[in-house]
Amino acid sequence: MVQLAQHGRKPVGEHLNSNLGGGPMFNWFDAAMAQRVDDLTLHHCERTRALGELKQLARLFGKGYLRALHSEMTAGLITQGGPARVLQIKLAWIDKIPLAKPFNRTKKTELGDAVLLAIEEQRIAGQPTPVTRRARAVLLQAKVTQRYAQTKRPTVPISPMAGSTKDEYELLSAWPEFDLYKTSGNTHPLATAINLNAAKTTPQPFGWYVGAPRCNQIPSNVTTTWPSWWMLGPSIQGDGCVVSFGAFLRSFLCNSTIITSSGPLAAGEPFNYPSNSTSKASLTGWDRVCAEIIDIVEDKNMPAPQSIFGANTSRIVSMDEIHLSFIAPMSECNSYLSWLPPGNPRALRFFRGPHERFYPLFPDQYPQLPADIFVGWHASQPGRPRSSRNLHRRTPVLIFRSVIYEGEG
């Protein structure tokens, strides 16, 4: 056994805290993890290189990609079935729905092609409604390019500045006051006079460009210019699309800024995602935009385009929950907590007995835990057969164990 915590030591759980809108950051999502996310994104998305922007973008919505992303992001995190705090990442398809009609224009303009959402919940075991929610969102305007200059060095807005590309850029770069419509055919807006830029400053963090090359062969500069295939840039004309998908996701979750030609800029913005249902009419600004988008993409009568996703496909997909903290039950028996990746730990033997005591564990309480908390490995989870043939397939578990010795009360 290895002693887990001593008084005065840095708490083990500190790295589990989040920063969707404030507080400590997701320290576990480091530069190395961003690189791994880039590698898997390139692996999954490069194979669609000959397709148009929407069909290429749809690759990020695939179950295979989301499973791989979840696997990368949970590596090294402690998790179990009864979490106290969870993170869920969602992608929503919003091409042409909903639309903004700026006050200074007669035409409606799409907000983007996709929206990236991160929702963190604090839960209490046995209660269906989360205690608190924190959320963050960013609009993604997707573009692919076959032009040599853009393939060699992609810059915003990636496509020529004309037609719908010009309209999109004027919205995403300046955010004039606008009304929000569900579809191009609707005459009555979902919300009016939405103002995301009262100070009239640019750039704003709400929408980012995400670009990829369109080519029959793999570009010779793929490892340098397109390391994650999809590369991101701010809504600043001429600014480079130089932020990899993994690096952007890290900044998005950690609320850290990205350096642009106009200075540091956030990757998206927090929004109010109440734990209980509330009237959208009471919401304004970015809160209202996000609420309307979520209502649309969760509407079963508004499926994703059949030509891209097939029939009866939802506009929103979710990655499996990432358990950021946990509750170990008070019990006189072993408390099993999965730990990924399993690696190749040495199996240890534990004895159940009347002198074992188990504690509810929360990251913020680690400094207060007794000094006799121990951590050890066990080779298999309870309730599974221990045949040697299948032993290598089992997920090792981390056991937090405190021994109360006889005579100590």
Side-chain angles (χ1 to χ4, degrees), residues 273-316:
Y273 196 152
S275 299
N276 301 304
S277 59
T278 185
S279 172
K280 288 184 297 183
S282 63
L283 301 176
T284 59
W286 185 234
D287 293 345
R288 182 62 179 272
V289 171
C290 292
E292 296 292 356
I293 288 175
I294 290 171
D295 268 8
I296 290 172
V297 298
E298 290 183 343
D299 186 347
K300 294 181 180 179
N301 296 317
M302 296 289 291
Q306 185 171 337
S307 60
I308 298 173
F309 292 96
N312 301 318
T313 303
S314 174
R315 283 179 171 267
I316 190 166

Side-chain angles (χ1 to χ4, degrees), residues 119-124 127-135 271-278 283:
I119 301 160
E120 183 189 343
E121 292 184 349
Q122 185 78 33
R123 297 177 180 173
I124 293 178
Q127 293 188 10
T129 303
V131 178
T132 60
R133 270 180 176 163
R134 295 198 300 174
F271 70 96
N272 178 35
Y273 196 152
S275 299
N276 301 304
S277 59
T278 185
L283 301 176

Side-chain angles (χ1 to χ4, degrees), residues 45 48-62 91-97 110-115 140-145 159 164 168 210-214 229-230 304-310 315:
C45 295
T48 62
R49 61 184 179 270
L51 302 178
E53 66 189 34
L54 296 183
K55 289 190 176 181
Q56 284 208 45
L57 183 66
R59 193 75 184 181
L60 298 178
F61 287 72
L91 273 169
W93 191 266
I94 58 168
D95 173 52
K96 307 295 189 296
I97 298 175
E110 70 177 17
L111 296 177
D113 294 304
V115 60
L140 302 177
Q141 181 59 248
K143 299 289 181 184
V144 297
T145 183
S159 298
S164 60
E168 293 158 1
V210 54
R214 183 179 184 182
W229 198 256
W230 286 102
Q306 185 171 337
S307 60
I308 298 173
F309 292 96
R315 283 179 171 267

Side-chain angles (χ1 to χ4, degrees), residues 325-391:
S325 65
F326 51 88
I327 301 174
M330 292 292 284
S331 172
E332 291 300 321
C333 62
N334 287 335
S335 173
Y336 291 86
L337 306 167
S338 301
W339 194 25
L340 301 174
N344 187 26
R346 180 166 59 92
L348 298 176
R349 181 176 297 177
F350 294 92
F351 299 93
R352 300 188 185 193
H355 304 306
E356 293 180 354
R357 180 177 297 177
F358 294 83
Y359 296 86
L361 301 178
F362 302 88
D364 292 340
Q365 294 178 348
Y366 277 9
Q368 285 75 50
L369 285 178
D372 62 344
I373 294 292
F374 290 87
V375 59
W377 284 103
H378 198 287
S380 61
Q381 292 180 348
R384 295 186 179 185
R386 296 173 177 268
S387 71
S388 59
R389 181 170 61 89
N390 293 323
L391 189 60

